[in-house]
Structure formats: C-alpha cells, structure tokens
Amino acid sequence: RVLLAIETVLPGSIGSTCNGFHSEIESENALILPISIIYDEIDAHVGGRAAVTIAKLLAGQSRKISVDTLAGAINYGVGSKMQQSIGKQIIAITHSASVAANADRHVVIERSRKRKSSSSSTFIQTRVVDGASRRKEIARMASGDLVPGEAEAFADALIRDALNQKDSFTLDPPDLRL
C-alpha cells in the first residue's frame, strides 16, 4: 500500500527509481515510467470506502496522461518534444468486487482438482470475462451465491461508478480521507 500511496502522490516516481540507471545514450530529460506494476491483494483486510478508494487509486495509475502534464505536475522539466500520452499497466490480484469493477480487463483464475484412483492433479484455468459474464463474476465476488439478483444490481452499480470515474479522470490525487 505504501507503493500505491507514493505513486499516487508522485506519479512516475517509482518509474524514475526503477529506471534510474538507464543508458547514457538516452536523453537526460527522459521520463521513464515502469511498464507494469503488480499488486498482490493490496486490498486485503479492507472493505467499504477503503476498498473503493484503493480501487480508484489503482485505476488512476493506469490512465494515460500527457508527458507534459505529468512533468509539470512533478517538476521533471521535460521538454515539449515529448507530448505523447503515457500510461502504465497495473495488474491487481484481488478478491474485492470494488477493485475488479474498476479493471479495464478482468481475468478470472480458477483452480480445480481432478482425482484419478489414488492420485490427484491440480489444474489452473484462466478466462477473460466481459459483459454479462463479468457482471455475474463481480456479483459472485461480492456475495458468493447469496441473493444473486441483489448482488447483480450491486455489481451494476460498481461497474457504472467505475465507468463514471474513468470518464472524469484527472491528474489530481483523490481525497484519501476515509
């Protein structure tokens, strides 16, 4: 969670640290962001507003912003020649419906066992869910198999809120008060 907080307040700081030893051939003014950041159950032991806040912070990290905007915000002094948009790939391993609803791509990973006589084998299956199957998966994450109708309505609300958040993305960090 410390990494998430640092990257939220100082966008690009982790990339600068990770890529601090780049080749001397590259420009001194080059702003290099990390290609991917993996968060493994960053939302463990939180729920409610805290889980929603973490979900929004993670989503905000992956949004594309102009390099000039980013450079101005963190005072890197990047010249006008770098006006392309940049973003990061954020991978979040989660059991939280709030975090999953904010994902651009939702991948379900399931483990199953098959027993053959005296031995058993474990299989891992992955599948991308979208549309109605994503809605059902977020509902399952939120409530298990209890009250599927209400859970799907809740999943719709989470997905709708995530879409609204994406449409109104700004560089400003969100209000972190709980």
Side-chain angles (χ1 to χ4, degrees):
R1 293 184 188 147
V2 172
L3 175 65
L4 178 60
I6 291 169
E7 192 63 20
T8 299
V9 175
L10 299 170
S13 60
I14 302 303
S16 297
T17 302
C18 295
N19 296 309
F21 301 103
H22 56 83
S23 169
E24 293 179 14
I25 299 172
E26 296 178 24
S27 167
E28 290 180 13
N29 290 332
L31 176 61
I32 303 169
L33 295 178
I35 296 170
S36 298
I37 298 176
I38 300 172
Y39 294 103
D40 186 4
E41 297 191 29
I42 190 171
D43 53 351
H45 309 294
V46 299
R49 273 194 291 182
V52 171
T53 299
I54 287 173
K56 290 178 180 179
L57 292 173
L58 289 169
Q61 280 192 9
S62 68
R63 299 296 159 243
K64 291 188 177 187
I65 56 177
S66 74
V67 174
D68 284 343
T69 302
L70 177 63
I74 56 178
N75 197 20
Y76 270 95
V78 175
S80 61
K81 64 182 178 176
M82 295 184 67
Q83 292 187 354
Q84 75 270 22
S85 292
I86 55 173
K88 293 175 278 194
Q89 180 182 33
I90 304 300
I91 299 170
I93 300 164
T94 185
H95 296 276
S96 168
S98 298
V99 172
N102 277 276
D104 293 327
R105 174 164 287 162
H106 187 154
V107 179
V108 177
I109 301 172
E110 295 174 315
R111 180 181 67 168
S112 62
R113 289 188 151 194
K114 292 192 179 182
R115 295 184 185 257
K116 291 185 179 180
S117 58
S118 64
S119 65
S120 67
S121 298
T122 302
F123 297 92
I124 306 295
Q125 178 184 11
T126 61
R127 59 188 164 87
V128 174
V129 292
D130 55 9
S133 62
R134 180 169 183 241
R135 183 171 148 254
K136 287 184 183 291
E137 178 60 22
I138 291 172
R140 187 200 62 77
M141 292 173 77
S143 72
D145 293 330
L146 301 174
V147 292
E150 288 89 345
E152 287 187 30
F154 179 63
D156 285 336
L158 287 174
I159 293 168
R160 188 173 43 253
D161 183 60
L163 290 172
N164 290 337
Q165 188 73 22
K166 289 176 188 177
D167 290 342
S168 64
F169 173 73
T170 65
L171 184 60
D172 300 327
D175 185 359
L176 300 177
R177 290 175 286 170
L178 302 175

